[in-house]
Amino acid sequence: MPEGDSVWRAAARLHEALAGKRLTRSDLRVPRFATADLTGRTTLDVTPRGKHLLARFEGGDGDDGLTLHTHLRMDGAWHVFPAAAKWRGGPVHEVRVVLGTADSTAVGYRLPVVELIRTADEDRVVGHLGPDLLGPDWDPARAATNLLAAPDRPLGEALLDQRNLAGIGNIYKSELCFLAQVTPWTPVGDLPDPEVTTVRLAGAAHRLLRANVGERAGHGAHRNTTGSHRPGQDLFVYGRARRPCLRCGTPIREARQDDRPTYWCPSCQSGPTP
């Protein structure tokens, strides 16, 4: 599943292509909204909210504005092409959304969530989310309070719960637990000085995601959490099973947590393991 920084970049590309422009083409290829037509409306903005994408359109006859809500989950992707260019995101039958302007076309492939709602009703689809790590509502103290609300819950699961803080995916989960020097199975309440550690974790998550949405990250961002520019040393533990820890040399371990591959260093990180 894409991390919050990937969704942020997708939103930025869509916003650049669509915002302030009138739609000349609209095609929602999902049964529920197959007859909906946004042609003629102007795109106001495309905004990320955690891992959700909200494309907002000006009001028309009988409405005060509409929002196209999409979510990428595991396989979804948005691509932007020049208006006359051939699409290259997958077979045509995987296209779920087409939004075109005079000079560009945004195509959503394999989108598992496509929903057209009144802009005034956005809270219905994203109101449950915790503070957005990359959004204007970011609040590390509130994120820490949310994490501490279930002290018996394993830290890895708590970090992935978008109701606590929005934007962390499986990669950042493993990396943040490494930085906190605890295993992902450690209960939140068992963290060293939980009140302080959760605030620091929230702050670290914010810094890491921010670092990976900058100009350096580019469109096809190669995510980096270590600060190293050496090949194969961009992540501390994620995807490094059986390879030596960058800090101590101990082989990295891998196991499943909530059916997701999870990585940790058995020497640098203390706490329970499977």
Side-chain angles (χ1 to χ4, degrees):
M1 182 177 292
E3 313 272 332
D5 51 5
S6 299
V7 176
W8 191 96
R9 285 189 297 274
R13 293 195 299 274
L14 291 171
H15 184 84
E16 181 180 5
L18 301 175
K21 300 176 183 178
R22 181 176 173 271
L23 292 180
T24 58
R25 180 178 183 181
S26 163
D27 190 0
L28 306 186
R29 301 181 184 182
V30 293
R32 183 180 174 190
F33 300 105
T35 61
D37 188 6
L38 297 170
T39 303
R41 295 184 185 243
T42 296
T43 305
L44 301 177
D45 63 80
V46 182
T47 299
R49 181 70 175 89
K51 299 182 182 182
H52 301 252
L53 283 163
L54 304 172
R56 302 183 178 112
F57 306 96
E58 67 176 355
D61 295 337
D63 67 73
D64 295 325
L66 295 175
T67 295
L68 180 66
H69 167 231
T70 60
H71 197 296
L72 305 180
R73 290 191 180 165
M74 291 297 294
D75 300 316
W78 277 99
H79 297 278
V80 177
F81 307 100
K86 183 179 180 180
W87 303 347
R88 302 180 305 279
V92 173
H93 72 266
E94 293 183 347
V95 173
R96 296 293 175 266
V97 178
V98 181
L99 300 174
T101 70
D103 52 17
S104 62
T105 305
V107 185
Y109 287 87
R110 301 173 297 279
L111 300 174
V113 176
V114 176
E115 188 175 13
L116 191 63
I117 61 174
R118 294 171 61 241
T119 298
D121 294 335
E122 284 181 2
D123 198 55
R124 179 172 62 81
V125 295
V126 295
H128 65 288
L129 298 175
D132 187 343
L133 281 154
L134 295 174
D137 69 322
W138 173 241
D139 183 345
R142 182 179 155 213
T145 298
N146 292 344
L147 291 170
L148 290 166
D152 294 334
R153 192 174 193 186
L155 178 61
E157 293 180 13
L159 289 172
L160 283 180
D161 190 335
Q162 303 299 294
R163 295 170 297 181
N164 290 332
L165 64 172
I168 291 178
N170 205 40
I171 296 175
Y172 283 117
K173 176 197 81 171
S174 290
E175 296 295 287
L176 286 165
C177 289
F178 177 83
L179 292 174
Q181 298 183 320
V182 296
T183 68
W185 294 270
T186 302
V188 174
D190 289 350
L191 293 171
D193 199 348
E195 290 79 8
V196 173
T197 299
T198 49
V199 171
R200 287 177 176 171
L201 267 173
H206 176 68
R207 289 191 298 274
L208 287 179
L209 266 71
R210 268 288 165 209
N212 283 288
V213 299
E215 184 177 349
R216 177 183 60 78
H219 284 196
H222 189 69
R223 189 170 288 110
N224 188 301
T225 62
T226 65
S228 172
H229 299 295
R230 294 182 179 180
Q233 295 189 9
D234 49 342
L235 299 174
F236 284 111
V237 291
Y238 188 87
R240 293 179 54 83
R242 296 177 297 279
R243 297 174 64 187
C245 173
L246 297 180
R247 284 185 176 172
C248 73
T250 302
I252 299 298
R253 299 283 302 279
E254 176 187 2
R256 309 291 289 189
Q257 183 180 39
D258 197 22
D259 204 32
R260 292 181 174 91
T262 300
Y263 303 84
W264 78 100
C265 172
S267 294
C268 293
Q269 295 171 253
S270 61
T273 57

Coordinates of all heavy atoms in Angstrom, one line a residue, residues 130-193:
G130 N -6.9 10.4 11.7 CA -6.1 11.2 12.7 C -5.4 12.3 12.0 O -5.5 12.5 10.8
P131 N -4.6 13.1 12.7 CA -3.9 14.2 12.1 C -3.0 13.7 11.0 O -2.3 12.7 11.1 CB -3.0 14.8 13.3 CG -3.0 13.7 14.3 CD -4.3 13.0 14.2
D132 N -3.0 14.5 9.9 CA -2.3 14.1 8.7 C -0.8 14.6 8.8 O -0.5 15.7 8.9 CB -3.0 14.9 7.5 CG -2.4 14.4 6.1 OD1 -1.3 13.8 6.1 OD2 -3.1 14.7 5.1
L133 N 0.1 13.6 8.6 CA 1.5 13.9 8.8 C 2.0 14.9 7.8 O 3.0 15.6 8.0 CB 2.3 12.6 8.6 CG 2.3 11.6 9.8 CD1 2.5 10.2 9.4 CD2 3.4 12.1 10.7
L134 N 1.3 15.0 6.6 CA 1.7 16.0 5.6 C 0.7 17.1 5.4 O 0.8 17.8 4.4 CB 2.0 15.3 4.3 CG 3.2 14.3 4.3 CD1 3.3 13.5 3.0 CD2 4.5 15.0 4.6
G135 N -0.3 17.2 6.3 CA -1.3 18.2 6.1 C -1.3 19.3 7.1 O -0.5 19.4 8.0
P136 N -2.1 20.3 6.8 CA -2.1 21.5 7.7 C -2.6 21.3 9.1 O -2.4 22.1 10.0 CB -3.0 22.5 6.9 CG -3.9 21.6 6.1 CD -3.0 20.5 5.7
D137 N -3.3 20.1 9.3 CA -3.8 19.8 10.6 C -2.8 19.0 11.5 O -3.2 18.5 12.6 CB -5.1 19.0 10.5 CG -4.9 17.6 9.9 OD1 -4.0 17.5 9.0 OD2 -5.6 16.7 10.4
W138 N -1.6 18.8 11.0 CA -0.6 18.0 11.7 C -0.4 18.5 13.1 O -0.2 19.6 13.4 CB 0.7 17.9 11.0 CG 1.8 17.2 11.8 CD1 2.9 17.7 12.3 CD2 1.7 15.8 12.3 NE1 3.6 16.7 13.0 CE2 2.9 15.6 13.0 CE3 0.7 14.8 12.2 CZ2 3.1 14.4 13.6 CZ3 1.0 13.6 12.8 CH2 2.2 13.4 13.5
D139 N -0.5 17.5 14.1 CA -0.4 17.8 15.5 C 0.2 16.6 16.2 O -0.5 15.6 16.5 CB -1.8 18.1 16.1 CG -1.8 18.5 17.5 OD1 -0.8 18.3 18.2 OD2 -2.8 19.0 18.0
P140 N 1.5 16.7 16.5 CA 2.2 15.5 17.1 C 1.7 15.2 18.5 O 1.6 14.0 18.8 CB 3.7 16.0 17.2 CG 3.6 17.5 17.1 CD 2.5 17.8 16.2
A141 N 1.2 16.2 19.2 CA 0.7 15.9 20.6 C -0.6 15.1 20.5 O -0.8 14.1 21.2 CB 0.5 17.2 21.3
R142 N -1.5 15.5 19.5 CA -2.7 14.7 19.3 C -2.4 13.3 18.8 O -3.1 12.4 19.2 CB -3.6 15.5 18.3 CG -4.9 14.8 18.1 CD -5.8 15.6 17.1 NE -6.8 14.8 16.4 CZ -7.2 15.0 15.2 NH1 -6.7 16.0 14.5 NH2 -8.1 14.2 14.6
A143 N -1.5 13.2 17.9 CA -1.1 11.9 17.4 C -0.6 11.0 18.5 O -1.0 9.8 18.6 CB 0.0 12.0 16.3
A144 N 0.2 11.5 19.4 CA 0.7 10.8 20.5 C -0.4 10.3 21.5 O -0.5 9.2 22.0 CB 1.8 11.6 21.3
T145 N -1.3 11.2 21.7 CA -2.5 10.9 22.6 C -3.3 9.8 21.9 O -3.8 8.9 22.7 CB -3.4 12.2 22.7 OG1 -2.6 13.2 23.4 CG2 -4.6 11.8 23.6
N146 N -3.5 9.8 20.6 CA -4.2 8.7 20.0 C -3.5 7.4 20.1 O -4.1 6.4 20.4 CB -4.4 9.1 18.5 CG -5.3 10.2 18.2 OD1 -6.1 10.6 19.1 ND2 -5.2 10.8 17.0
L147 N -2.2 7.4 20.0 CA -1.4 6.2 20.1 C -1.5 5.6 21.5 O -1.6 4.4 21.7 CB 0.0 6.4 19.8 CG 0.4 6.7 18.3 CD1 1.8 7.2 18.1 CD2 0.1 5.5 17.4
L148 N -1.5 6.5 22.5 CA -1.5 6.1 23.9 C -2.9 5.6 24.4 O -3.0 5.0 25.4 CB -1.1 7.2 24.8 CG 0.4 7.6 24.7 CD1 0.7 8.9 25.4 CD2 1.3 6.5 25.4
A149 N -3.9 5.9 23.6 CA -5.3 5.5 24.0 C -5.5 4.0 24.1 O -6.4 3.6 24.8 CB -6.3 6.1 23.0
A150 N -4.7 3.2 23.4 CA -4.8 1.8 23.5 C -3.4 1.2 23.9 O -2.6 0.8 23.1 CB -5.2 1.2 22.2
P151 N -3.0 1.3 25.2 CA -1.6 1.0 25.6 C -1.3 -0.5 25.4 O -0.1 -0.8 25.4 CB -1.7 1.3 27.1 CG -3.1 1.4 27.5 CD -3.9 1.8 26.3
D152 N -2.2 -1.4 25.3 CA -1.9 -2.8 25.1 C -1.7 -3.1 23.6 O -1.3 -4.3 23.3 CB -3.0 -3.7 25.6 CG -3.1 -3.6 27.2 OD1 -2.1 -3.2 27.8 OD2 -4.2 -3.7 27.7
R153 N -1.9 -2.2 22.7 CA -1.8 -2.5 21.3 C -0.4 -2.5 20.9 O 0.4 -1.6 21.2 CB -2.6 -1.5 20.5 CG -2.8 -1.8 19.1 CD -3.7 -0.8 18.4 NE -4.2 -1.3 17.1 CZ -4.9 -0.7 16.2 NH1 -5.2 0.6 16.5 NH2 -5.2 -1.2 15.1
P154 N 0.0 -3.5 20.0 CA 1.4 -3.4 19.5 C 1.7 -2.2 18.7 O 0.8 -1.7 18.0 CB 1.4 -4.7 18.6 CG 0.4 -5.6 19.1 CD -0.7 -4.7 19.6
L155 N 2.9 -1.6 18.9 CA 3.2 -0.3 18.3 C 3.0 -0.4 16.8 O 2.5 0.6 16.2 CB 4.6 0.0 18.6 CG 5.2 1.3 18.0 CD1 4.3 2.5 18.5 CD2 6.6 1.5 18.4
G156 N 3.5 -1.5 16.1 CA 3.4 -1.5 14.7 C 1.9 -1.4 14.2 O 1.7 -0.7 13.2
E157 N 1.0 -2.0 14.9 CA -0.4 -1.9 14.5 C -0.9 -0.5 14.7 O -1.7 0.0 14.0 CB -1.2 -3.0 15.2 CG -0.9 -4.4 14.9 CD -1.8 -5.4 15.7 OE1 -2.8 -4.9 16.3 OE2 -1.5 -6.6 15.7
A158 N -0.5 0.1 15.9 CA -1.0 1.4 16.2 C -0.5 2.4 15.2 O -1.3 3.4 14.8 CB -0.5 1.8 17.6
L159 N 0.7 2.3 14.7 CA 1.2 3.2 13.7 C 0.5 3.1 12.4 O 0.4 4.1 11.7 CB 2.7 3.0 13.5 CG 3.7 3.4 14.7 CD1 5.1 2.9 14.4 CD2 3.6 4.9 14.9
L160 N 0.1 1.9 12.1 CA -0.6 1.8 10.8 C -2.1 2.2 10.8 O -2.7 2.3 9.8 CB -0.5 0.3 10.3 CG 0.8 -0.2 9.7 CD1 0.7 -1.6 9.4 CD2 1.2 0.7 8.5
D161 N -2.6 2.3 12.0 CA -4.0 2.7 12.2 C -4.2 4.2 11.8 O -3.7 5.1 12.5 CB -4.5 2.5 13.6 CG -6.0 2.6 13.8 OD1 -6.6 3.3 13.0 OD2 -6.6 2.0 14.7
Q162 N -4.8 4.4 10.7 CA -4.9 5.8 10.2 C -5.8 6.7 11.0 O -5.8 7.9 10.9 CB -5.5 5.8 8.7 CG -4.7 5.0 7.8 CD -3.2 5.5 7.6 OE1 -3.0 6.6 7.1 NE2 -2.3 4.7 8.0
R163 N -6.5 6.1 12.0 CA -7.3 6.9 12.9 C -6.4 7.5 14.0 O -6.8 8.5 14.6 CB -8.4 6.0 13.6 CG -9.4 5.5 12.7 CD -10.3 4.4 13.4 NE -9.5 3.3 13.8 CZ -10.0 2.2 14.4 NH1 -11.3 2.1 14.6 NH2 -9.2 1.2 14.7
N164 N -5.2 7.0 14.2 CA -4.3 7.6 15.1 C -3.5 8.7 14.5 O -3.4 9.8 15.1 CB -3.3 6.5 15.6 CG -4.0 5.5 16.5 OD1 -5.0 5.8 17.2 ND2 -3.5 4.3 16.6
L165 N -2.9 8.5 13.3 CA -2.2 9.5 12.6 C -2.2 9.0 11.1 O -2.0 7.8 10.9 CB -0.8 9.8 13.1 CG 0.3 8.7 13.1 CD1 1.7 9.3 13.4 CD2 0.0 7.5 14.0
A166 N -2.4 9.9 10.2 CA -2.7 9.5 8.8 C -1.5 9.7 7.9 O -0.9 10.7 7.9 CB -3.8 10.3 8.2
G167 N -1.1 8.6 7.3 CA 0.0 8.7 6.3 C 1.1 7.6 6.4 O 1.9 7.4 5.5
I168 N 1.1 6.9 7.5 CA 2.1 5.8 7.7 C 1.7 4.5 7.0 O 0.6 4.1 7.2 CB 2.4 5.6 9.2 CG1 3.1 6.8 9.8 CG2 3.3 4.3 9.4 CD1 3.4 6.7 11.3
G169 N 2.6 4.0 6.2 CA 2.4 2.7 5.6 C 3.4 1.7 6.2 O 4.1 1.9 7.2
N170 N 3.5 0.5 5.6 CA 4.2 -0.6 6.1 C 5.7 -0.3 6.2 O 6.4 -0.8 7.1 CB 3.9 -1.9 5.4 CG 4.2 -3.1 6.2 OD1 3.8 -3.1 7.4 ND2 4.8 -4.1 5.6
I171 N 6.2 0.4 5.2 CA 7.7 0.7 5.2 C 8.0 1.6 6.4 O 8.9 1.3 7.2 CB 8.1 1.4 3.9 CG1 7.9 0.5 2.7 CG2 9.5 1.9 3.9 CD1 8.1 1.1 1.4
Y172 N 7.3 2.7 6.5 CA 7.6 3.6 7.6 C 7.3 3.0 9.0 O 8.0 3.3 10.0 CB 6.8 4.9 7.5 CG 7.3 5.8 6.5 CD1 6.6 6.2 5.3 CD2 8.6 6.4 6.6 CE1 7.1 7.0 4.4 CE2 9.1 7.2 5.6 CZ 8.4 7.5 4.5 OH 8.9 8.4 3.5
K173 N 6.4 2.1 9.1 CA 6.1 1.4 10.3 C 7.4 0.7 10.8 O 7.8 0.9 12.0 CB 5.0 0.3 10.1 CG 4.8 -0.5 11.4 CD 4.0 -1.8 11.1 CE 4.9 -2.9 10.5 NZ 4.1 -4.2 10.4
S174 N 8.0 -0.1 10.0 CA 9.2 -0.9 10.4 C 10.4 0.1 10.6 O 11.1 -0.1 11.6 CB 9.6 -1.9 9.3 OG 8.7 -2.9 9.2
E175 N 10.5 1.1 9.8 CA 11.6 2.1 10.0 C 11.5 2.8 11.3 O 12.5 3.1 12.0 CB 11.7 3.0 8.8 CG 12.0 2.3 7.5 CD 13.4 1.7 7.5 OE1 14.4 2.5 7.4 OE2 13.5 0.5 7.5
L176 N 10.3 3.3 11.6 CA 10.0 4.0 12.9 C 10.3 3.2 14.1 O 10.8 3.7 15.1 CB 8.6 4.6 12.9 CG 8.4 5.8 11.9 CD1 6.9 6.0 11.7 CD2 9.1 7.0 12.4
C177 N 9.9 1.9 14.0 CA 10.1 1.0 15.2 C 11.6 0.8 15.4 O 12.1 0.8 16.5 CB 9.4 -0.3 15.0 SG 7.6 -0.2 15.2
F178 N 12.4 0.8 14.3 CA 13.8 0.7 14.4 C 14.4 1.9 15.1 O 15.2 1.8 16.0 CB 14.4 0.5 13.0 CG 15.9 0.4 13.1 CD1 16.6 -0.7 13.4 CD2 16.7 1.6 12.8 CE1 18.0 -0.8 13.4 CE2 18.1 1.5 12.8 CZ 18.7 0.4 13.2
L179 N 13.9 3.1 14.6 CA 14.4 4.3 15.2 C 14.1 4.4 16.7 O 14.8 5.0 17.4 CB 13.9 5.5 14.4 CG 14.4 5.7 13.0 CD1 13.6 6.8 12.3 CD2 15.9 5.9 12.9
A180 N 13.0 3.9 17.1 CA 12.6 3.9 18.5 C 13.3 2.8 19.3 O 13.1 2.7 20.5 CB 11.1 3.7 18.6
Q181 N 14.0 1.9 18.6 CA 14.8 0.8 19.2 C 13.9 -0.2 20.0 O 14.3 -0.8 21.0 CB 15.8 1.4 20.2 CG 16.8 2.3 19.5 CD 17.9 2.8 20.4 OE1 17.7 3.2 21.5 NE2 19.2 2.8 19.9
V182 N 12.6 -0.4 19.4 CA 11.7 -1.4 20.0 C 11.2 -2.2 18.8 O 11.1 -1.7 17.7 CB 10.6 -0.8 20.8 CG1 11.1 -0.1 22.0 CG2 9.8 0.1 19.9
T183 N 10.7 -3.4 19.1 CA 10.1 -4.3 18.0 C 8.7 -3.8 17.8 O 8.1 -3.2 18.6 CB 10.1 -5.7 18.4 OG1 9.2 -5.9 19.5 CG2 11.5 -6.2 18.9
P184 N 8.2 -4.1 16.6 CA 6.8 -3.6 16.2 C 5.8 -4.3 17.1 O 4.6 -3.9 17.1 CB 6.7 -4.0 14.8 CG 8.1 -4.1 14.2 CD 8.9 -4.6 15.4
W185 N 6.1 -5.4 17.8 CA 5.2 -6.1 18.7 C 5.1 -5.6 20.1 O 4.4 -6.1 20.9 CB 5.5 -7.6 18.6 CG 5.2 -8.2 17.3 CD1 4.1 -8.7 16.8 CD2 6.2 -8.3 16.2 NE1 4.3 -9.2 15.5 CE2 5.6 -8.9 15.1 CE3 7.6 -7.9 16.1 CZ2 6.2 -9.2 13.9 CZ3 8.2 -8.2 14.9 CH2 7.5 -8.8 13.8
T186 N 5.9 -4.6 20.4 CA 6.0 -4.0 21.7 C 4.7 -3.2 22.0 O 4.3 -2.3 21.2 CB 7.2 -3.0 21.8 OG1 8.4 -3.7 21.6 CG2 7.2 -2.4 23.2
P187 N 4.0 -3.5 23.1 CA 2.8 -2.7 23.4 C 3.1 -1.2 23.6 O 4.2 -0.9 24.1 CB 2.3 -3.3 24.7 CG 2.8 -4.7 24.7 CD 4.2 -4.6 24.0
V188 N 2.3 -0.4 23.1 CA 2.5 1.1 23.2 C 2.8 1.5 24.7 O 3.7 2.3 24.9 CB 1.3 1.9 22.6 CG1 1.5 3.4 22.9 CG2 1.2 1.6 21.1
G189 N 2.1 0.9 25.6 CA 2.2 1.2 27.0 C 3.5 0.7 27.6 O 3.9 1.2 28.7
D190 N 4.2 -0.2 26.9 CA 5.5 -0.7 27.4 C 6.7 0.1 26.8 O 7.9 -0.3 27.1 CB 5.7 -2.2 27.1 CG 4.7 -3.0 27.9 OD1 4.1 -2.5 28.9 OD2 4.6 -4.2 27.6
L191 N 6.5 1.1 26.0 CA 7.6 1.9 25.5 C 8.3 2.6 26.6 O 7.7 2.9 27.6 CB 7.0 2.9 24.5 CG 6.4 2.4 23.2 CD1 5.8 3.6 22.4 CD2 7.5 1.8 22.3
P192 N 9.6 2.8 26.5 CA 10.3 3.6 27.5 C 9.7 5.0 27.6 O 9.6 5.7 26.5 CB 11.7 3.6 27.0 CG 11.8 2.6 26.0 CD 10.5 2.4 25.4
D193 N 9.2 5.4 28.7 CA 8.6 6.7 28.9 C 7.6 7.0 27.8 O 7.8 7.8 26.9 CB 9.7 7.8 28.9 CG 9.1 9.1 29.5 OD1 7.9 9.2 29.7 OD2 10.0 10.0 29.8

